[in-house]
């Protein structure tokens, strides 16, 4: 018994020393920042902007590695199964916390297997409608749709994407009976919503901004909790739709840097401080602002709490609205 | 109007010919040519590698460079397809069909020369259309509803069902096999995994490049085991004179190149299609128009230059939906949208008006880039053709190594290498059985689009098939299909009854 106990203590001590040693000379090699999505999207660009700035600060090259596939599951799986020594990091977007609700055979636990470093940015979303309908405001749209149950359609960037979830949530909360039409990506839906084939949809600001300014799409509301600088006259969904059961509604996305669970806390904190510092640079703020993203820079603990909270909310919604894959 | 266009062209030229414009354009096309030639490494790998550099460049320079890579790979991709049967890019897989047989007959130089010319002409026509018709092209996209896309794609598939010339049954089998391979992955509408066997790597489908390289290149390597006869490479063959086509071939290529450019220009402008489909449709059309369809697949010049012209034209006009509607037709285009995004430029119809220097500078740089490619590629032909003189025992192992590296680099995925191997075996099997590959490729590319648009149309019409005949575009396509099918049936019955009579 005592032998076992001693052995346990010895192992614990060795592990602890090992951890401390890792932390002291961290980073000792190239750091991989895995992006579980294809190049070019919001998550990918965020990762590349950070890697560009992190490299000189850490004294080790930070390489962005795209591992797209299965809606981000493949790449995230690589991150969570890597050595938790801070040399493998990941950059995930908000769909990370939808995964468990959508996929029965998820090969990891999106909360327990992940050690969040920081929420880097939050991305604003907009609710837009086609200009072919005689409506210009959110209440007008809702009333128009109420009179035409089952005849109007909302679009999304794909089955089980966050734009699908928000569309379904919106229709449910406002009591609308609408058809869901998924597209492969947000851009692919634009011709159809402009032409009035589909009628409503959630989009990110960079994706729909040009079309809103050109009056090809009509901006019904800001989807988040606050109005946007770019279109200060547009109300939020919660403001304009309060009478229609939308007072609690808020939609948006974010990007976060994660590490595998078990990564030493001092490494997480060190990375957090470096990234938070980068995110204070006016040029970086400007870059993100032009992508419709605002700096978040939450601490590892705050980020973990956000993950838990949003996962609980979304998993509940996914089940209630019967959104599923397979 | 004319003044406006002239003004735009001059503005564009001033941006494109500025020292920095020329510099980034040259870097782009040279890198594009190189990555296109190395099997498996496509534009995507090159563009994503260079992406971080674009943070430090002005958006116009960044786009000029990335665009150069994009259409440069289309040029380079054909080289590997023709000489080694290895499609470096998805759209150049078509060049394997007739380009490789030409190279085997020792006419690789001619094939490369004509490809370069066809690419240049196709690209130039695409650019002219961009300049004069850009506003019209934008509105074309809104005329097509899901039902229209469905009917047009189906029309394309039916018209090309006889693409292989040989047995129609074999062609149909291969089309359906292609469609089946195309639907592997997550279903767009319900997200259910189909034919994935629980393998997460298959959730996003089979990669077209891996499929094409396996079917053509690896199958070729397997087939050559045991019969190593290198192409005869006399010094004589490398002279410029021997790279020029015969007068007859030159004249015969004009119409296919122009038709290809027309097809490419239109299909490139349709959101989400791009050069790949354009080159397949052009191949099918050329076969239809040909007086000697039996030559296709055995080194027919029309089957090479038509598609090459087509995919280059499509590459140019594809920028319209990308820049004005934010639709990335390809993964490479998605990165270019990303470049705009980090510089705070949102895609939209207004981009043309608000960023004239960027838009017209980019378009004029396309033409400069195409010109540079012509200048770079013609003298290189002699060097590329020499690759064929390398003994197979050195050439093939190095090809396999390049393929592995190239395929891995696309998604950083070992699984994709296994896909290539699997399709190498399948490709060898089809060779033994005499099954045609073009219908398979066409089914693979068009099948998923066919399904997506069909189901979208049905969802929107709430299950009514009426939309397919009541919409003008779709209705016209359905009518043509009906006439074509009826004609084929009548001909079949007549020829059979004639046969019976003679017996």
């Amino acid at each position: 018994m005592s032998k076992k106990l001693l052995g346990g203590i010895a192992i614990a001590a060795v592990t602890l020393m090992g951890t401390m040693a890792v932390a002291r000379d961290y980073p000792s090699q190239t750091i991989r920042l895995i992006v579980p999505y294809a190049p070019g999207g919001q998550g990918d660009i965020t990762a590349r902007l950070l890697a560009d700035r992190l490299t000189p600060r850490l004294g080790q090259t930070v390489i962005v590695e795209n591992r797209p596939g299965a809606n981000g599951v493949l790449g995230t799986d690589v991150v969570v199964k890597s050595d938790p020594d801070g040399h493998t990091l990941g950059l995930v977007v908000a769909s990370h916390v939808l995964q468990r609700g959508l996929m029965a055979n998820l090969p990891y636990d999106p909360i327990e297997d992940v050690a969040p470093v920081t929420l880097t940015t939050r991305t604003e979303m907009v609710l837009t409608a086609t200009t072919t309908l005689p409506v210009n405001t959110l209440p007008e749209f809702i009333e128009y749709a109420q009179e035409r149950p089952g005849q109007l359609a909302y679009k999304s960037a794909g089955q089980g994407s966050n734009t699908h979830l928000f569309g379904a949530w919106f229709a449910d909360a406002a009591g609308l009976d609408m058809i869901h039409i998924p597209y492969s990506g947000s851009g692919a839906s634009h011709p159809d919503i402009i032409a009035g084939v589909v009628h409503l949809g959630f989009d990110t600001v960079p994706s729909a901004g040009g079309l809103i300014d050109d009056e090809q799409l009509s901006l019904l509301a800001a989807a988040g909790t606050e109005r946007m600088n770019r279109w200060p006259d547009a109300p939020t969904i919660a403001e304009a739709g309060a009478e229609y059961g939308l007072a609690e509604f808020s939609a948006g996305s974010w990007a976060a840097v994660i590490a595998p669970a078990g990564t030493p806390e001092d490494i997480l904190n060190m990375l957090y401080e470096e990234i938070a510092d980068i995110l204070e640079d006016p040029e970086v703020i400007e870059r993100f602002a032009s992508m419709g993203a605002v700096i978040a820079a939450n601490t590892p603990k705050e980020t973990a709490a956000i993950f838990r909270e949003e996962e609980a909310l979304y998993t509940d919604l996914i089940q209630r609205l019967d959104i599923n894959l397979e | 109007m004319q003044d406006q266009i002239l003004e735009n062209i001059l503005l564009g030229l001033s941006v494109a010919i500025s020292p920095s414009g020329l510099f980034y354009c040259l870097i782009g096309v040279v890198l594009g040519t190189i990555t296109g030639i190395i099997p498996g490494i496509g534009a995507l790998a090159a563009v994503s590698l260079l992406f971080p550099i674009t943070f430090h460049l002005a958006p116009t320079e960044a786009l000029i460079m990335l665009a150069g890579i994009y259409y440069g790979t289309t040029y380079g991709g054909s080289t590997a397809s023709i000489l080694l049967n290895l499609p470096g890019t998805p759209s150049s897989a078509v060049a394997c069909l007739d380009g490789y047989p030409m190279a085997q007959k020792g006419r690789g130089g001619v094939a490369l020369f004509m490809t370069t010319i066809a690419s240049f002409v196709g690209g130039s026509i695409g650019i002219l259309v961009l300049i004069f018709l850009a506003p019209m092209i934008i509105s074309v996209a809104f005329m097509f509803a899901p039902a229209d896309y469905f009917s047009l794609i189906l029309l394309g598939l039916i018209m090309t069902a006889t693409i292989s010339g040989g047995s129609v049954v074999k062609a149909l089998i291969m089309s359906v096999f292609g469609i089946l391979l195309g639907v592997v992955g997550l279903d767009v509408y319900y997200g259910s995994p189909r034919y994935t066997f629980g393998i997460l790597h298959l959730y996003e489908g089979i990669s077209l490049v891996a499929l094409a390289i396996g079917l053509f290149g690896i199958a070729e390597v397997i087939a050559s085991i045991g019969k190593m006869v290198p192409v005869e490479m006399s010094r004589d063959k490398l002279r410029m004179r021997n790279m020029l086509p015969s007068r007859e071939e030159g004249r015969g290529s004009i119409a296919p190149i122009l038709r290809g450019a027309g097809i490419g220009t239109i299909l490139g402008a349709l959101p989400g299609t791009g050069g790949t489909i354009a080159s397949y449709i052009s191949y099918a059309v050329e076969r239809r128009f040909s007086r000697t369809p039996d030559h296709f697949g055995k080194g027919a010049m029309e089957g090479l230059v038509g598609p090459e012209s087509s995919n280059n034209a499509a590459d140019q006009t594809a920028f319209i939906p990308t820049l004005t509607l934010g639709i990335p037709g390809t993964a490479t285009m998605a990165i270019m949208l990303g470049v705009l995004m980090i510089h705070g430029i949102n895609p939209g119809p207004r981009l043309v008006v608000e960023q004239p220097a960027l838009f017209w500078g980019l378009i004029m740089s396309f033409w400069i880039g195409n010109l540079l490619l012509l200048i770079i590629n013609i003298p290189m032909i002699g060097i590329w053709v020499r690759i064929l003189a390398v003994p197979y025992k050195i050439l093939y192992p190095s090809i396999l190594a390049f393929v592995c590296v190239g395929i891995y680099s696309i998604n950083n995925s070992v699984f994709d290498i296994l896909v290539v191997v699997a399709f190498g075996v399948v490709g060898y099997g089809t060779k033994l059985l005499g099954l045609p590959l073009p219908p398979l490729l066409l089914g693979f590319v068009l099948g998923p689009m066919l399904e997506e648009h069909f189901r979208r149309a049905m969802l929107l019409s709430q299950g009514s098939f009426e939309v397919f005949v009541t919409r003008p575009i779709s209705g016209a396509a359905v009518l043509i299909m009906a006439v074509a099918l009826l004609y084929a049936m009548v001909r079949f019955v007549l020829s059979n009854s004639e046969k019976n009579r003679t017996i």
Side-chain angles (χ1 to χ4, degrees):
Chain A
M1 189 68 191
S2 66
K3 253 188 192 169
K4 262 192 192 164
L5 189 66
L6 271 179
I9 291 172
I11 289 169
V14 169
T15 320
L16 196 64
M17 274 158 63
T19 320
M20 280 160 63
V22 167
R24 212 176 300 129
D25 42 56
Y26 174 82
S28 58
Q29 63 191 66
T30 306
I31 295 170
R32 296 196 301 163
L33 178 55
I34 292 177
V35 177
Y37 321 104
Q42 193 101 15
D44 178 62
I45 295 176
T46 307
R48 288 176 193 274
L49 277 171
L50 287 180
D52 199 42
R53 302 269 171 159
L54 271 174
T55 298
R57 284 168 172 267
L58 297 177
Q60 286 286 352
T61 314
V62 180
I63 297 176
V64 174
E65 198 177 306
N66 297 91
R67 291 280 189 123
N71 293 327
V73 173
L74 282 184
T76 310
D77 195 42
V78 174
V79 179
V80 300
K81 307 233 157 101
S82 300
D83 288 339
D85 59 4
H87 290 107
T88 309
L89 305 171
L91 192 129
V92 294
V93 296
S95 62
H96 178 75
V97 294
L98 302 184
Q99 283 168 347
R100 188 156 40 191
L102 294 167
M103 277 180 72
N105 56 345
L106 197 64
Y108 53 83
D109 183 322
I111 302 295
E112 299 303 327
D113 290 347
V114 161
V117 176
T118 177
L119 202 71
T120 55
T121 43
R122 285 184 177 277
T123 307
E124 296 172 324
M125 289 179 104
V126 285
L127 179 63
T128 61
T130 178
T131 54
T132 59
L133 298 181
V135 297
N136 293 309
T137 64
L138 186 65
E140 279 172 21
F141 183 91
I142 293 174
E143 276 158 29
Y144 186 84
Q146 277 167 347
E147 288 159 21
R148 290 164 183 79
Q151 290 177 34
L152 300 187
Y154 68 91
K155 56 101 175 176
S156 78
Q159 179 79 16
S161 66
N162 58 356
T163 47
H164 176 192
L165 174 70
F166 295 141
W169 182 15
F170 173 83
D172 180 71
L176 301 178
D177 175 11
M178 293 181 79
I179 304 167
H180 168 232
I181 307 284
Y183 287 80
S184 12
S186 190
S189 68
H190 288 158
D192 278 358
I193 189 169
I194 292 170
V197 173
V198 291
H199 309 96
L200 183 82
F202 284 89
D203 246 317
T204 60
V205 173
S207 164
L211 299 171
I212 292 170
D213 285 339
D214 205 43
E215 292 172 4
Q216 299 273 338
L217 289 178
S218 75
L219 173 62
L220 293 185
T225 47
E226 279 164 47
R227 291 191 179 205
M228 294 170 294
N229 291 334
R230 183 159 167 179
W231 301 284
D233 293 340
T236 66
I237 291 179
E239 282 170 13
E243 301 165 38
Y244 302 92
L246 291 161
E248 300 289 307
F249 189 92
S250 132
S253 182
W254 43 254
V257 176
I258 58 164
T263 306
E265 216 162 293
D266 47 353
I267 291 184
L268 294 179
N269 284 325
M270 172 202 170
L271 284 169
Y272 158 69
E273 269 156 33
E274 293 293 345
I275 294 171
D277 219 31
I278 293 171
L279 294 174
E280 272 173 24
D281 182 334
E283 203 192 315
V284 174
I285 295 174
E286 167 82 36
R287 272 276 146 84
F288 279 115
S290 65
M291 289 159 50
V294 284
I295 305 300
N298 296 87
T299 64
K301 286 219 170 68
E302 287 166 2
T303 309
I306 294 169
F307 274 31
R308 276 174 210 283
E309 195 182 306
E310 293 209 354
E311 201 202 32
L313 170 71
Y314 292 144
T315 310
D316 178 54
L317 275 172
I318 287 167
Q319 273 159 8
R320 195 157 57 77
L321 302 171
D322 198 25
I323 295 170
N324 49 42
L325 299 176
E326 63 217 287
Chain B
M1 178 70 185
Q2 244 121 27
D3 288 355
Q4 184 73 48
I5 288 176
L6 192 69
E7 206 176 287
N8 288 336
I9 292 176
L10 287 178
L11 170 69
L13 275 176
S14 72
V15 176
I17 306 188
S18 68
S20 73
L22 271 180
F23 177 71
Y24 289 108
C25 187
L26 186 67
I27 292 188
V29 296
V30 169
L31 274 175
T33 309
I34 296 170
T35 48
I37 285 171
I38 300 173
I41 300 186
L44 183 59
V47 169
S48 42
L49 267 176
L50 287 181
F51 190 42
I53 299 177
T54 62
F55 295 156
H56 310 287
L57 296 180
T60 311
E61 292 166 351
L63 276 188
I64 285 179
M65 180 172 74
L66 296 185
I69 296 173
Y70 173 70
Y71 52 78
T73 44
T74 317
Y75 271 74
S78 327
T79 307
S81 297
I82 291 169
L83 297 179
L84 304 168
N85 214 12
L86 283 169
T89 57
S91 55
S92 57
V94 181
C96 291
L97 300 175
D98 278 287
Y100 184 64
M102 283 180 80
Q104 278 183 314
K105 289 180 188 158
R107 308 195 67 221
V110 180
L112 287 183
F113 181 82
M114 286 308 288
T115 299
T116 311
I117 299 292
S119 301
F120 180 71
V121 175
S124 300
I125 291 176
I127 293 164
L128 282 178
V129 172
L130 263 188
I131 293 173
F132 290 101
L133 301 176
M136 265 180 65
I137 297 175
I138 299 172
S139 58
V140 164
F142 305 133
M143 288 159 45
F144 289 80
D148 304 323
Y149 278 107
F150 167 76
S151 301
L152 283 176
I153 296 167
L154 190 63
L155 177 67
L157 273 175
I158 286 183
M159 293 311 238
T160 55
T162 52
I163 188 173
S164 58
S167 153
V168 176
V169 176
K170 280 183 178 176
L172 284 175
I173 290 173
M174 294 304 271
S175 307
V176 174
F177 185 41
I179 295 176
L180 276 178
L181 290 172
V183 300
V184 170
L186 289 184
D187 164 22
V188 185
Y189 292 94
Y190 296 121
S192 25
R194 298 188 294 195
Y195 307 110
T196 56
F197 308 102
I199 302 168
L200 283 175
H201 290 94
L202 283 176
Y203 270 36
E204 272 168 30
I206 296 168
S207 129
L208 174 57
V209 175
L211 175 111
I213 289 203
L215 286 179
F216 290 97
I218 304 303
E220 188 61 38
V221 174
I222 299 174
S224 70
I225 295 169
K227 41 177 178 182
M228 300 276 184
V229 192
V231 176
E232 222 174 283
M233 191 60 58
S234 59
R235 192 161 277 280
D236 194 43
K237 280 209 170 131
L238 295 174
R239 283 215 206 107
M240 198 64 201
R241 186 156 39 85
N242 292 305
M243 287 175 201
L244 297 178
S246 68
R247 189 177 286 261
E248 208 176 295
E249 277 176 324
R251 210 177 295 141
S253 297
I254 296 174
I257 290 179
L258 293 182
R259 273 197 294 268
I263 293 166
T265 307
I266 296 166
L267 289 183
L270 289 183
T273 53
T276 309
I277 290 175
S279 56
Y280 290 99
I281 299 287
S282 164
Y283 187 81
V285 167
E286 286 316 316
R287 231 197 107 82
R288 285 254 148 201
F289 272 97
S290 172
R291 283 197 206 106
T292 53
D294 298 344
H295 288 195
F296 276 70
K298 294 170 194 150
M301 183 63 90
E302 308 99 283
L304 178 67
V305 293
E308 282 300 310
S309 161
S310 187
N311 70 34
N312 280 278
D315 274 355
Q316 310 301 335
T317 48
F319 276 90
I320 291 284
T322 304
L323 294 180
T324 59
L325 295 171
I327 306 163
T330 60
T332 317
M333 284 293 194
I335 298 184
M336 285 196 239
L337 279 179
V339 171
L340 288 178
M341 214 156 103
I342 57 168
H343 287 100
I345 300 168
N346 295 157
R350 208 182 256 194
L351 185 139
V352 183
V353 189
E354 276 175 2
Q355 306 272 350
L358 182 139
F359 185 78
W360 295 104
L362 185 62
I363 288 184
M364 291 324 286
S365 90
F366 291 169
W367 199 73
I368 305 275
N370 274 280
L371 206 61
L372 287 174
L373 282 166
L374 193 69
I375 298 168
I376 297 168
N377 277 293
I378 296 280
M380 291 297 279
I381 291 174
I383 297 169
W384 296 133
V385 174
R386 262 171 242 252
I387 292 175
L388 294 182
V390 174
Y392 282 176
K393 62 176 178 188
I394 298 170
L395 184 63
Y396 279 177
S398 30
I399 286 177
L400 291 179
F402 269 122
V403 166
C404 289
V405 173
I407 291 292
Y408 177 80
S409 75
I410 298 176
N411 282 338
N412 291 315
S413 152
V414 179
F415 183 81
D416 284 354
I417 300 177
L418 299 178
V419 173
V420 173
V421 174
F423 280 103
V425 175
V426 172
Y428 183 59
T430 60
K431 248 178 198 287
L432 291 182
L433 296 171
L435 294 167
L437 288 176
L440 184 147
L441 280 174
L442 207 63
F444 181 79
V445 175
L446 295 182
M449 295 179 69
L450 190 75
E451 188 207 1
E452 187 176 336
H453 289 294
F454 175 72
R455 290 175 66 182
R456 190 170 295 147
M458 294 308 281
L459 275 173
L460 287 164
S461 75
Q462 306 191 355
S464 158
F465 283 94
E466 240 171 62
V467 279
F468 295 112
V469 284
T470 50
R471 286 193 56 87
I473 298 176
S474 173
V478 169
L479 193 70
I480 298 173
M481 269 187 274
V483 171
L485 286 176
L486 211 64
Y487 173 73
M489 271 191 272
V490 168
R491 211 177 46 172
F492 178 75
V493 172
L494 283 182
S495 70
N496 264 16
S497 63
E498 240 162 65
K499 254 186 232 160
N500 291 343
R501 215 170 294 150
T502 50
I503 293 166

